Amino acid sequence: MTQKVNRTAVVLFDLRSSENAGAICRTAECAGVQEMYCVGTTPAHLDRFGRVNRKFIKASLGAEKNVRVEKADNIASLIKKLKKDKFKIIALEQDKKAIDYRKLTTKNNFALILGNEVGGIPKKVLGQCDEIIEIPLIGKKESLNVSVAFGVSIFEIIKDIK
């Protein structure tokens, strides 16, 4: 069964891995996300010369054909544009202001920001977000792989959107 939701986007900020970006694109497509922004150093399906990024394509399994993937240089400008387009900006990050991702409620357009696998989302960017969510962890590791964290969170976020 295909579930349609409002306009949804995922913003990948300074990710390093083509495989993670491609895997996120695939999961995004499965969740009905329409837009994906590869910001800063995040690799996209095409490089700056228009050549195919084979690692991204392999991981996405063609999902980039159904999700609009765009490159963006500046995260602040992109957030401003998304807010102007009436998107709720949500960051997935461990932060003292974060709420449990299962407690987030949204019925409107939203953009979910994912940060660099090592440094996360900078405080300056978190300050521009409407909500910060996190996935409570039980084990000794401090974080999940970014593509896994996206998969865990996106289906929870969209579960009540009709």
Side-chain angles (χ1 to χ4, degrees):
M1 179 178 170
T2 302
Q3 180 182 6
K4 287 289 180 191
V5 296
N6 291 330
R7 269 182 82 195
T8 56
V10 60
V11 177
L12 309 182
F13 183 54
D14 281 345
L15 269 63
R16 301 172 298 157
S17 166
S18 293
E19 290 89 345
N20 278 337
I24 290 167
C25 184
R26 181 177 174 191
T27 303
E29 196 282 333
C30 290
V33 173
Q34 300 94 3
E35 304 166 37
M36 181 169 141
Y37 297 92
C38 298
V39 184
T41 60
T42 303
H45 64 302
L46 301 174
D47 70 15
R48 64 188 179 113
F49 302 108
R51 297 176 300 209
V52 171
N53 178 339
R54 295 193 188 287
K55 290 178 181 180
F56 183 109
I57 298 296
K58 183 178 180 184
S60 71
L61 290 177
E64 76 286 347
K65 295 173 185 160
N66 299 321
V67 176
R68 184 167 50 94
V69 180
E70 290 185 24
K71 280 293 285 177
D73 293 323
N74 185 286
I75 187 76
S77 297
L78 177 60
I79 290 172
K80 187 176 181 179
K81 173 192 171 297
L82 290 168
K83 283 187 175 196
K84 184 179 177 190
D85 289 345
K86 307 284 192 254
F87 277 82
K88 181 176 191 174
I89 308 300
I90 304 164
L92 178 58
E93 183 62 83
Q94 295 171 330
D95 185 80
K96 64 182 179 187
K97 295 180 183 175
I99 63 168
D100 186 315
Y101 77 109
R102 295 167 293 195
K103 294 180 180 174
L104 176 73
T105 57
T106 186
K107 301 276 186 206
N108 301 317
N109 303 335
F110 70 87
L112 180 62
I113 301 177
L114 307 172
N116 178 284
E117 295 93 331
V118 175
I121 301 171
K123 295 285 184 196
K124 186 174 182 179
V125 175
L126 291 176
Q128 297 175 290
C129 296
D130 300 308
E131 296 272 1
I132 304 170
I133 60 171
E134 68 180 345
I135 301 167
L137 302 175
I138 299 168
K140 294 185 186 330
K141 295 305 292 177
E142 294 180 7
S143 66
L144 295 168
N145 171 278
V146 67
S147 67
V148 172
F150 175 69
V152 168
S153 62
I154 191 63
F155 284 98
E156 181 67 23
I157 293 169
I158 67 167
K159 75 176 174 31
D160 294 324
I161 298 176
K162 306 257 186 285

